[in-house]
């Protein structure tokens, strides 16, 4: 097998992470790297990913439904460890040394305990039928369904430090490119269905770029196509150590999972799903209010519904249902109006602490709209929605809205006009750097930065805006200066 063919076995998490591969080299961060002796180190990051995956609510529910499934009997192992020196992955033979197999075994069997493997195998029972169907529908090789097992441990709640999220560990820009919704309320990367489609569409794009070379495809998915292309130009047929180790561990994990003689857990998953209901809300719902009214754990609701990343569930967003237990769903039917009318406790605190000359409450009356209320108080609908964190124009009779005193608004508007005139006058007579108030900030790109990470540092700024302001693409270079337009 040529080195180029072997290089084809080295690719895994997304375009925005292209510079993070360097961190992996020096910090042994993702799958593995090599020490001076040439022996592969145990990939600590992979251990962390797998451990977090086994703590998912679905795994805990499964252990309650079938605790006997997770009992390890060392005398009767329910799996077969690879004994051959070479394993098949994407139709290629992958060679593993005895030391590498020992290192990989430590990841799947920490302290020689099989519970982690059994949980991971059970998660495969749940998600692999979906992955297999979609992978085949896109005309890709079925071994690709093992990729998210390594990327996230099949953890829908997975969020990396650099922002990669979901089972397929998609970065923000790739997710948006393939039409996933990612904002302050919803992150569709944290689902299963939509994010799989997006990841596989991206993989099809890479298959065209790299002539169905799965090693290069996965390496570009993980590290970014620019990095892979640059490495190919620099090293030719040589293979990055971290990429080699990733594919070796992928082949090893595939071999062990395929060998598991464990009863399929789909029936137990059906039992779990049967204890829950999917709800579509017809009103804007505060998740905290839902938890308080139903007497549920807020953290449990959030863990079961990772796609909903904000404080509010939009009534208009109906693509992904909200999961409640049967008992919670029954309570919701009775207390639906109370949930819809719930107001955060902070509102009461505001009425007691905020200067009454600046703020007061408006109680919504029958027939009123945001427009009529805005006219009455000499303000705008946009401001009322901003002050009250409203996601739509829908109001409820008796609902209390925080309104800024019109005298304060007028005073502020007058001051803003004066300041704006000062700035305009200053801009004519002075250089931009001498302006009394900065509206643009220069940001120097650091090693490991991505557009998503930089945008998160500035309120209201998106990666797309940064690219537009700087006439640049997604690829960044350390030391590059980016202009960031600050919001007032």
């Amino acid at each position: 097998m040529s080195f180029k063919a072997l290089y084809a076995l080295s690719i895994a998490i997304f375009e925005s992470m292209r510079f993070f591969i360097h961190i992996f080299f020096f910090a042994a961060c993702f799958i593995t790297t090599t020490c001076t002796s040439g022996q592969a180190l145990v990939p600590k990051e992979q251990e962390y990913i797998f451990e977090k995956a086994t703590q998912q609510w679905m795994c805990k529910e499964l252990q309650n439904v079938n605790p006997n499934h997770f009992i390890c009997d060392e005398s009767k192992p329910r799996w077969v460890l690879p004994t051959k020196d070479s394993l098949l992955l994407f139709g290629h033979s992958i060679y593993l040394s005895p030391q590498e197999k020992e290192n990989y075994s430590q990841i799947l069997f920490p302290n020689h305990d099989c519970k982690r493997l059994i949980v991971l195998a059970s998660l495969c029972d749940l998600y692999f039928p979906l992955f297999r169907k979609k992978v085949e529908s896109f005309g890709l090789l079925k071994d690709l369904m093992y990729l998210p097992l390594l990327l996230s441990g099949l953890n829908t709640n997975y969020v990396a430090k650099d922002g990669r999220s979901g089972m397929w560990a998609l970065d923000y820009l790739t997710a948006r490119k393939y039409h996933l919704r990612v904002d302050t309320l919803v992150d569709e990367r944290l689902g299963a269905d939509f994010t799989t489609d997006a990841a596989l569409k991206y993989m099809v794009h890479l298959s065209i770029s790299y002539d169905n070379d799965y090693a290069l495809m996965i390496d570009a998915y993980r590290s970014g196509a620019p990095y892979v292309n640059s490495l190919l130009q620099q090293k030719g047929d040589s293979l990055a150590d971290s990429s080699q180790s990733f594919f070796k561990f992928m082949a090893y994990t595939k071999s062990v999972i395929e060998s598991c003689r464990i009863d399929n857990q789909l029936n137990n998953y059906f039992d779990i799903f049967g204890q829950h209901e999917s709800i579509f809300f017809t009103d804007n719902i505060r998740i905290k209010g839902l938890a308080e009214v139903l007497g549920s754990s807020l953290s449990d609701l959030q863990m079961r519904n990772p796609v909903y990343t904000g404080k509010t569930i939009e009534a208009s967003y109906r693509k992904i249902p909200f999961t409640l237990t049967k008992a919670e769903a029954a309570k919701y039917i009775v207390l639906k109006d109370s949930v819809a009318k719930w107001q955060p406790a902070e509102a009461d605190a505001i009425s007691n602490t905020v200067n009454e000359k600046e703020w007061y409450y408006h109680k919504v009356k029958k027939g009123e709209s945001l427009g009529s209320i805005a006219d009455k108080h000499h303000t705008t609908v946009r401001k009322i929605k901003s002050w009250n964190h409203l996601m739509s124009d829908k109001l409820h009779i008796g609902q209390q809205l925080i309104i800024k005193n019109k005298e304060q608004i007028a005073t502020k508007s007058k001051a803003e006009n004066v300041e704006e005139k000062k700035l305009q006058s200053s801009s004519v007579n002075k250089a931009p750097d001498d302006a009394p108030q900065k509206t643009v900030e220069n940001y120097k790109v650091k090693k490991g930065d991505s557009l998503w990470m930089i945008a998160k540092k500035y309120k209201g700024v998106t990666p797309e805006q940064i690219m537009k302001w700087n006439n640049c693409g997604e690829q960044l270079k350390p030391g590059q200066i980016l202009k960031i337009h600050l919001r007032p």
Side-chain angles (χ1 to χ4, degrees):
M1 180 179 180
S2 70
F3 272 79
K4 186 173 182 179
L6 184 60
Y7 185 62
L9 298 175
S10 65
I11 316 172
I13 248 187
F14 76 99
E15 214 142 357
S16 174
M17 180 185 158
R18 53 185 62 92
F19 291 108
F20 282 87
I21 194 70
H22 299 295
I23 299 174
F24 298 155
F25 284 163
F26 300 109
C29 241
F30 187 60
I31 282 306
T32 192
T33 184
T34 56
C35 58
T36 55
S37 65
Q39 297 295 337
L41 300 174
V42 175
K44 297 296 183 183
E45 179 68 10
Q46 191 66 62
E47 287 186 330
Y48 173 79
I49 288 173
F50 281 174
E51 184 59 30
K52 292 292 289 185
T54 60
Q55 297 170 9
Q56 296 180 78
W57 76 275
M58 182 62 72
C59 298
K60 295 177 181 178
E61 289 285 338
L62 187 60
Q63 294 186 54
N64 291 332
V65 170
N66 186 7
N68 292 331
H69 173 69
F70 297 91
I71 297 175
C72 296
D73 185 350
E74 294 295 338
S75 64
K76 299 179 181 178
R78 293 179 280 176
W79 60 89
V80 176
L81 296 180
T83 55
K84 296 181 179 180
D85 291 337
S86 63
L87 302 173
L88 280 178
L89 185 67
F90 298 115
H92 294 276
S93 295
I94 310 297
Y95 174 79
L96 278 72
S97 70
Q99 182 61 54
E100 286 171 331
K101 287 188 284 187
E102 174 62 28
N103 289 337
Y104 300 149
S105 176
Q106 292 178 38
I107 304 169
L108 294 178
F109 305 92
N111 301 318
H112 303 287
D113 185 4
C114 78
K115 288 183 179 179
R116 175 183 290 176
L117 171 69
I118 295 178
V119 172
L120 293 174
S122 299
L123 287 170
C124 293
D125 289 340
L126 176 61
Y127 291 113
F128 274 14
L130 171 70
F131 293 167
R132 184 181 294 107
K133 179 180 178 180
K134 287 185 176 291
V135 165
E136 291 176 351
S137 71
F138 279 96
L140 298 167
L141 295 180
K142 68 177 183 178
D143 283 356
L144 199 59
M145 67 185 183
Y146 285 91
L147 180 59
L149 176 61
L150 271 65
L151 298 180
S152 67
L154 300 179
N155 184 358
T156 55
N157 297 77
Y158 175 71
V159 178
K161 291 181 180 179
D162 57 13
R164 297 172 293 114
S165 299
M167 289 191 292
W168 288 87
L170 282 168
D171 66 283
Y172 174 85
L173 291 175
T174 302
R176 295 295 298 121
K177 180 178 180 180
Y178 292 99
H179 311 297
L180 293 185
R181 178 176 173 181
V182 182
D183 54 36
T184 56
L185 294 180
V186 172
D187 189 341
E188 289 184 337
R189 295 176 296 176
L190 303 179
D193 200 345
F194 297 150
T195 190
T196 299
D197 285 335
L200 295 180
K201 286 177 183 176
Y202 182 38
M203 199 62 71
V204 169
H205 167 74
L206 293 174
S207 72
I208 296 172
S209 300
Y210 296 103
D211 195 24
N212 288 314
D213 188 325
Y214 277 80
L216 295 176
M217 288 161 55
I218 295 177
D219 221 9
Y221 185 96
R222 292 175 58 214
S223 312
Y227 170 78
V228 172
N229 295 338
S230 174
L231 196 64
L232 283 173
Q233 292 176 358
Q234 294 174 15
K235 296 191 174 183
D237 291 338
S238 64
L239 177 62
D241 293 329
S242 62
S243 298
Q244 287 189 50
S245 185
F246 183 91
F247 280 92
K248 288 181 179 182
F249 183 56
M250 191 173 177
Y252 184 90
T253 303
K254 174 198 168 191
S255 175
V256 176
I257 294 293
E258 283 184 336
S259 75
C260 286
R261 300 185 297 273
I262 306 175
D263 292 337
N264 192 289
Q265 293 302 295
L266 273 182
N267 287 333
N268 288 324
Y269 284 122
F270 291 147
D271 290 341
I272 295 172
F273 295 137
Q275 298 170 14
H276 294 79
E277 285 195 16
S278 297
I279 301 294
F280 289 106
F281 297 109
T282 55
D283 298 291
N284 285 350
I285 298 297
R286 294 285 189 95
I287 298 181
K288 184 176 180 181
L290 181 67
E292 288 191 4
V293 173
L294 299 183
S296 303
S297 164
L298 177 61
S299 61
D300 286 348
L301 290 181
Q302 292 171 329
M303 184 173 289
R304 289 201 301 266
N305 300 277
V307 170
Y308 293 95
T309 55
K311 297 180 179 180
T312 303
I313 304 170
E314 288 181 304
S316 59
Y317 185 72
R318 302 175 62 86
K319 287 186 177 181
I320 299 177
F322 197 88
T323 300
L324 297 174
T325 64
K326 288 279 190 181
E328 290 169 339
K331 279 186 181 181
Y332 173 72
I333 293 174
V334 176
L335 301 172
K336 183 177 180 180
D337 290 341
S338 298
V339 173
K341 295 177 182 178
W342 180 88
Q343 292 292 319
E346 302 92 85
D348 295 330
I350 290 175
S351 64
N352 293 327
T353 59
V354 172
N355 189 328
E356 292 183 358
K357 292 182 179 180
E358 295 183 8
W359 298 90
Y360 57 87
Y361 276 101
H362 175 92
K363 190 173 183 179
V364 178
K365 301 178 181 64
K366 185 176 181 180
E368 284 189 320
S369 66
L370 281 175
S372 65
I373 295 171
D375 290 340
K376 180 177 180 180
H377 297 288
H378 306 285
T379 185
T380 64
V381 170
R382 181 181 62 81
K383 288 181 178 179
I384 294 177
K385 291 176 72 173
S386 175
W387 294 333
N388 293 273
H389 306 290
L390 300 177
M391 303 309 300
S392 76
D393 295 343
K394 189 174 181 179
L395 299 176
H396 304 286
I397 297 174
Q399 182 177 353
Q400 285 188 318
L401 300 175
I402 302 171
I403 305 292
K404 193 153 191 173
N405 188 298
K406 60 184 179 181
E407 295 176 0
Q408 295 292 325
I409 295 173
T411 301
K412 183 178 179 182
S413 297
K414 184 177 180 181
E416 288 175 345
N417 290 334
V418 172
E419 184 65 25
E420 184 178 353
K421 289 180 180 179
K422 287 182 179 180
L423 287 173
Q424 291 174 349
S425 175
S426 176
S427 64
V428 172
N429 302 312
K430 298 180 181 181
D433 290 341
D434 296 327
Q437 180 181 356
K438 281 190 175 182
T439 58
V440 177
E441 178 175 305
N442 289 333
Y443 179 88
K444 187 175 182 180
V445 177
K446 303 178 182 65
K447 187 176 181 180
D449 271 343
S450 69
L451 284 171
W452 186 89
M453 292 177 65
I454 296 171
K456 290 284 285 183
K457 298 176 185 289
Y458 300 95
K459 183 178 180 180
V461 173
T462 67
E464 289 89 347
Q465 288 175 324
I466 296 177
M467 288 191 290
K468 180 179 179 181
W469 294 333
N470 295 275
N471 192 28
C472 67
E474 301 171 10
Q475 185 177 4
L476 301 177
K477 297 179 180 179
Q480 181 178 350
I481 303 299
L482 299 175
K483 293 186 180 297
I484 308 295
H485 292 254
L486 304 179
R487 303 186 71 178

